[in-house]
Amino acid sequence: MSTITLTFTDGRKIETPARIRGKDILDKLPEQKGTLVAIKVNNKVVSLCRPIRVSSRVQGVYLASKEGAYVYRRSLSFILTAAAHRLFPGNRLIIAHSLGYGYYYTLERDTPITGEEIATLKAEMRKIIDADCEITTKHISFDEAIELFKKLGMTETAKQLQYRCRDCVLVNALGDEFADIYFGSLVETAGILKVFDLMPYDEGFLLQFPTAEKPDELPPFEDSPKIFEIFKRYKKWGRLVDVSTVASLNEIVSRKKVNDLIDICETYQMQNYARVARMIHDRGNVKVVLIAGPSSSGKTTSAFKMALHLRSIGYTPKTISLDCYYVGRDKNPKDENGNYDYECLEALDIELLNQNLIDLFAGKEVEIPSYNFDLGQRYYTGDTKMTLGPTDILILEGIHGLNDKLTPLIKPEYKFKIYLSALTQLNFDEHNRIPTSDNRLIRRIVRDANFRGKPAAGTIAMWDSVQRGERLHIFPFQNSADAVLNTALDYELPVLKIYAEPKLRAVKPDEPEYTEACRLLNFLSHFNAISSDYVPKQSIIREFIGGSTFKY
C-alpha cells in the first residue's frame, strides 16, 4: 500500500496510508480551536470524509473561522431543505438572498408560508439535528443526477447540470430520502448544527445562523427594509424577463441571445437611475447628492451616470470625491495592527469639507484639494476652483456619504443620500445563492489586476479588512438612505469570468489565499462566458474591465 506524508501547522510530519480521511487523523491535529467542521488540505477546504490522496499540508477548519462559518451555513441550509422536502413534498423551497445574518426563503406556491408551518419546519430540523443524522457525499452518474433532481422537483438544479456536463456528479445525501448539491464542504453529521432559528419575514422566513466571531449564539436581527425591497423588486423583475438562475442565464448565452439580455439589463438599470434623479428633482431644495456604498459597488460610475440623468432634467452637476479630503498620512489614524486606516471617518478632514460646502452654497469660490496616494499628502493645483450657479448641484461620492457626521453643518433638506450595492438577484439553483460580496470581490480582483497591478492573492488577502470597514462605516447607515440603487447586472459575472479566472489560477497552493481562490474558481465555472465586446461603453462593468467612455 502506498504511503503519503502529512505536514501539520506545528511542523510535525507523519507517514500514513494514501486515501486516509480527515476524520481518521483528528487526534493528530495540533491546533484545538473549538468545534472542528472540516479540514484544509494544501489550503483547500474539504469535508472530513474526503480521502487525502497525495502528500499534503493539513490543518483543521473550526467553526470560529470564516471558512468554518461557511461550512456551518451550507450544512444548515442542507438540513432545512431536507426538512422542507419531508413536510412540503409538493412545493419547492427557494432561497432568495441574505438579510443580515440569515437567508431569506419562500415556498413556491400561491399562498405564503404560515407561522405554524414555520414552527413545524423548525421542529423537523431539530429532529434531524438531535438524531445527529449523517450527511454523506457520493458520486453518481450524470444520468442518475438528472433523474434524481427531476424526481425531487429541483428543476433548476437539473437544468444547470446540462451546462456543466460531467460523467459523475458529487451530491450530498441524508440517508436515501434526500440529496442535493452544495458548492462547498458540509459537516459530516448534523448534531453540531444546534445554533439556528427560523423567523417569519414578509411572505417567507429567515434561516438565522451565528457569526464566526460568536459561533455559540445568534446575533440580534437587524432589519434592512430598503435593501429587502430592492431585492424583492429585482427578483420580481428577474421572473418577468425569465432570468432568475444561472441555468436560465446560461441558456440565453447558449442560444446567442446575449445582446437582447444586455440591452434589457442596461435599460432597466438606467430607468432606476432616472427614477432617483426625478426623486432629487421633486425634493426641490437639494444642493448635494451623497453617494455611498461598499467596495466595488460602482460609486465612481454611478456618480457619472447620476450626473448625466440630472443634466437631462435641467441641473448642472459638479462632482467631488471624498478622497480629496484625506487628512494626510501624518495625521491619518491607524488600526489595531498599526496600519493606516483609510476607511474610518477620522481619515477625512471633516472641518475643511464642511467649510467648503458652506462656502459653495453661499455662492463663494472654493478651491477643491487633491490627494497624492503615493506620498500620502493633500495638495492644491490651482486649477480646481469651483463655484455653484443657480442650476448647479454637487455630487459627493465616498464610503461615508450616508453618515451625517460627515456633513454635520449642512442642513438635512439640502442633502439627498444614495446607497449603492451590487445586489445580484440570480441564484445558482433552488438552494444555492450567489453572495453579493462574491460579486463585488470578483469585480475588485479584476479591477485591481487591470489598473493597479495587484495579483488576485493580494486582493483576497485584504478583503477581510475591507469587509470589516464596511460593517463599521457603511452598512450601519444604509437604512438612512433616501434611495437605494442596485448596480449589479445579471450578465456581468460571465463577462468578469474571462478576466478573473486566469488571475485566480495563478494563486499557488502554498498561499493562504488559495482556499478562497479555489472557491471562486468553482463559483465562476458554472457560468458560460460572455465576451466583453458586447458590454456598452457606459456600462458600470467598464469601471472594472476598462474601455469606458467615462474618464476615471
Side-chain angles (χ1 to χ4, degrees), residues 111-358:
T111 57
I113 189 170
T114 66
E116 183 178 351
E117 288 173 322
I118 294 170
T120 303
L121 185 56
K122 179 180 175 180
E124 190 64 30
M125 291 179 67
R126 285 287 179 205
K127 181 179 176 182
I128 296 171
I129 291 167
D130 290 343
D132 199 19
C133 293
E134 185 180 11
I135 302 173
T136 60
T137 58
K138 59 182 180 180
H139 284 92
I140 60 178
S141 72
F142 175 82
D143 291 338
E144 285 178 302
I146 296 293
E147 182 180 354
L148 170 65
F149 292 122
K150 285 182 177 179
K151 181 180 178 180
L152 291 171
M154 294 158 59
T155 54
E156 292 302 315
T157 304
K159 188 191 298 184
Q160 177 59 13
L161 290 176
Q162 306 282 355
Y163 295 100
R164 200 168 182 254
C165 302
R166 294 183 174 179
D167 59 345
C168 63
V169 179
L170 182 67
V171 299
N172 307 107
L174 192 70
D176 296 326
E177 63 171 306
F178 183 75
D180 204 348
I181 295 176
Y182 281 86
F183 306 122
S185 302
L186 306 188
V187 299
E188 190 183 23
T189 59
I192 68 171
L193 305 172
K194 299 184 185 302
V195 183
F196 78 95
D197 200 4
L198 300 186
M199 185 185 90
Y201 191 92
D202 197 65
E203 297 180 348
F205 63 91
L206 291 174
L207 169 63
Q208 296 177 285
F209 41 73
T211 66
E213 293 77 17
K214 295 182 178 181
D216 297 324
E217 61 184 76
L218 291 177
F221 174 62
E222 296 181 4
D223 200 2
S224 299
K226 292 183 179 180
I227 299 300
F228 180 79
E229 284 304 313
I230 289 292
F231 265 126
K232 191 173 181 179
R233 184 191 306 163
Y234 269 79
K235 287 286 184 184
K236 181 179 179 181
W237 177 79
R239 290 192 295 272
L240 285 174
V241 298
D242 199 24
V243 184
S244 56
T245 65
V246 175
S248 56
L249 177 59
N250 285 338
E251 185 174 13
I252 289 172
V253 176
S254 66
R255 290 168 51 203
K256 302 188 185 305
K257 299 289 185 180
V258 171
N259 276 327
D260 291 344
L261 172 65
I262 291 176
D263 288 344
I264 291 169
C265 290
E266 294 284 351
T267 300
Y268 186 62
Q269 189 176 84
M270 183 168 58
Q271 289 173 346
N272 283 296
Y273 278 87
R275 173 180 56 82
V276 174
R278 180 55 60 179
M279 289 171 64
I280 294 168
H281 176 272
D282 292 345
R283 278 266 296 268
N285 55 354
V286 175
K287 296 182 181 295
V288 57
V289 178
L290 297 138
I291 298 178
S295 176
S296 300
S297 57
K299 293 184 287 294
T300 306
T301 302
S302 291
F304 285 131
K305 284 178 173 286
M306 189 53 58
L308 288 175
H309 286 283
L310 289 170
R311 192 180 303 164
S312 74
I313 55 176
Y315 289 99
T316 306
K318 295 184 176 180
T319 302
I320 299 175
S321 172
L322 281 177
D323 289 357
C324 298
Y325 287 89
Y326 276 122
V327 294
R329 201 168 293 159
D330 57 331
K331 299 179 182 178
N332 205 100
K334 295 183 179 181
D335 61 20
E336 65 275 11
N337 298 317
N339 300 317
Y340 290 108
D341 185 355
Y342 293 109
E343 297 187 343
C344 67
L345 187 65
E346 293 74 19
L348 299 174
D349 192 334
I350 305 298
E351 182 179 354
L352 177 63
L353 170 66
N354 280 262
Q355 188 59 56
N356 282 176
L357 294 178
I358 290 171

Side-chain angles (χ1 to χ4, degrees), residues 35-47:
T35 304
L36 186 77
V37 293
I39 60 170
K40 280 186 186 179
V41 178
N42 292 328
N43 281 324
K44 187 173 182 179
V45 178
V46 300
S47 66

Side-chain angles (χ1 to χ4, degrees), residues 454-527:
K454 180 179 286 188
T459 301
I460 293 171
M462 47 79 72
W463 191 243
D464 282 347
S465 176
V466 169
Q467 291 190 296
R468 279 195 298 274
E470 293 166 353
R471 289 193 294 269
L472 286 171
H473 307 303
I474 301 174
F475 296 153
F477 305 100
Q478 60 190 10
N479 286 328
S480 69
D482 296 297
V484 178
L485 277 171
N486 185 6
T487 67
L489 292 160
D490 285 350
Y491 74 91
E492 71 174 272
L493 284 168
V495 175
L496 295 172
K497 166 192 174 91
I498 298 172
Y499 295 84
E501 283 186 335
K503 307 302 179 185
L504 290 167
R505 290 195 191 101
V507 181
K508 298 176 177 62
D510 60 354
E511 295 181 279
E513 296 75 28
Y514 186 72
T515 302
E516 188 72 343
C518 288
R519 188 183 69 82
L520 293 173
L521 280 169
N522 183 44
F523 165 74
L524 290 170
S525 69
H526 295 272
F527 294 88

Side-chain angles (χ1 to χ4, degrees), residues 361-377:
F361 298 158
K364 298 179 181 178
E365 183 180 74
V366 168
E367 184 172 6
I368 306 300
S370 298
Y371 190 80
N372 186 310
F373 283 91
D374 292 330
L375 298 177
Q377 295 176 353

